[in-house]
Amino acid sequence: MITVENTIKWLNLFSDRIADHKDYLSELDQAIGDGDHGTNMARGAAAMKEALNGKAFKTVQEVLKTAAMSLLSKIGGASGPLYGSAFIGMAKIAAGDETDPAELVRAGASSIQHRGKAKPGDKTMVDVWLPVAEALKSGKLTVDTINQAVQSTKPMKAKKGRASYLGDRSIGHLDPGSVSSGYLFETMLEGGLL
Ligand code: ADP
Ligand code: MG
């Protein structure tokens, strides 16, 4: 069950995971983008952690909305508005007493697609969000499923975002936003939300 406590735990774990892998995320972005994904994400994640701690939240929706605002205003780049939209989408669906994790992630994925217009196979974070939503729906999200989705972006040719300027040269590299999204879902498992 998703609660205020485990949502905050999840997002703190996510923030720490991003901070620990900041250089790696930027290295990935160096290969097919402009090399800022790690610094972008670390800035947003740190702001989110600060906004979430030391405050009392009554609902999961409030937690997700607060996270959305930090991510939206602090990440920057293409991924700021996309993560921001994802969290706003998740906050909207988390209105009731009990939120289904599959619906939560599905709502996040839809918001990302609404904002960025990427389809499955375009080598974006959508290629992690959608399979994770599917796995949750069938009740079997594992670290392996998440890793497979992240790895699936390697042979893809980028059709959206900065990496798409490289055309065929984007093939053979992991998509940085998919790797950071992978951390989001690994820490969701660790946070005990499922
Ligand atoms: P920028 O590309 O502006 O430098 P970042 O480096 O922070 O921003 O983020 C790049 C990531 O954003 C990509 O790896 C990809 O996963 C994601 N991304 C870019 N464009 C889109 C899009 N249209 N839809 C979904 N995700 C996208
Ligand atoms: Mg970048």
Side-chain angles (χ1 to χ4, degrees):
M1 192 176 130
I2 303 179
T3 63
V4 167
E5 289 71 29
N6 63 25
T7 304
I8 292 175
K9 184 177 175 197
W10 165 34
L11 298 178
N12 278 325
L13 287 168
F14 174 54
S15 177
D16 294 345
R17 188 68 47 94
I18 291 289
D20 290 346
H21 294 85
K22 176 179 156 184
D23 292 345
Y24 174 57
L25 290 171
S26 284
E27 266 166 44
L28 293 173
D29 194 33
Q30 197 77 59
I32 55 169
D34 56 356
D36 63 353
H37 190 60
T39 37
N40 284 345
M41 291 303 297
R43 195 171 51 238
M48 176 180 74
K49 197 172 173 179
E50 203 181 306
L52 290 180
N53 294 294
K55 237 183 263 160
F57 291 94
K58 286 200 196 70
T59 63
V60 171
Q61 185 171 49
E62 247 179 76
V63 176
L64 293 171
K65 247 190 223 168
T66 303
M69 291 310 138
S70 303
L71 298 175
L72 192 59
S73 62
K74 289 288 180 338
I75 296 180
S79 50
L82 292 163
Y83 268 103
S85 299
F87 273 77
I88 289 167
M90 292 196 290
K92 275 192 191 147
I93 205 115
D97 287 346
E98 260 196 46
T99 306
D100 175 41
E103 278 176 28
L104 190 79
V105 177
R106 176 75 236 181
S110 300
S111 300
I112 293 171
Q113 285 192 286
H114 189 76
R115 175 103 208 177
K117 312 286 178 225
K119 294 190 293 290
D122 284 353
K123 198 181 182 95
T124 71
M125 56 174 80
V126 166
D127 293 306
V128 170
W129 281 76
L130 284 178
V132 166
E134 280 309 306
L136 283 170
K137 203 173 164 194
S138 45
K140 50 173 198 300
L141 182 68
T142 62
V143 173
D144 273 354
T145 314
I146 299 166
N147 285 336
Q148 266 174 34
V150 171
Q151 291 298 326
S152 79
T153 65
K154 199 166 183 172
M156 291 175 186
K157 177 174 163 177
K159 307 266 173 48
K160 282 279 183 284
R162 227 176 261 280
S164 66
Y165 308 154
L166 290 181
D168 285 343
R169 281 185 294 136
S170 65
I171 295 171
H173 300 277
L174 287 173
D175 171 58
S178 295
V179 174
S180 61
S181 296
Y183 298 152
L184 181 69
F185 298 119
E186 279 174 24
T187 52
M188 189 182 207
L189 285 174
E190 291 162 22
L193 278 78
L194 308 173

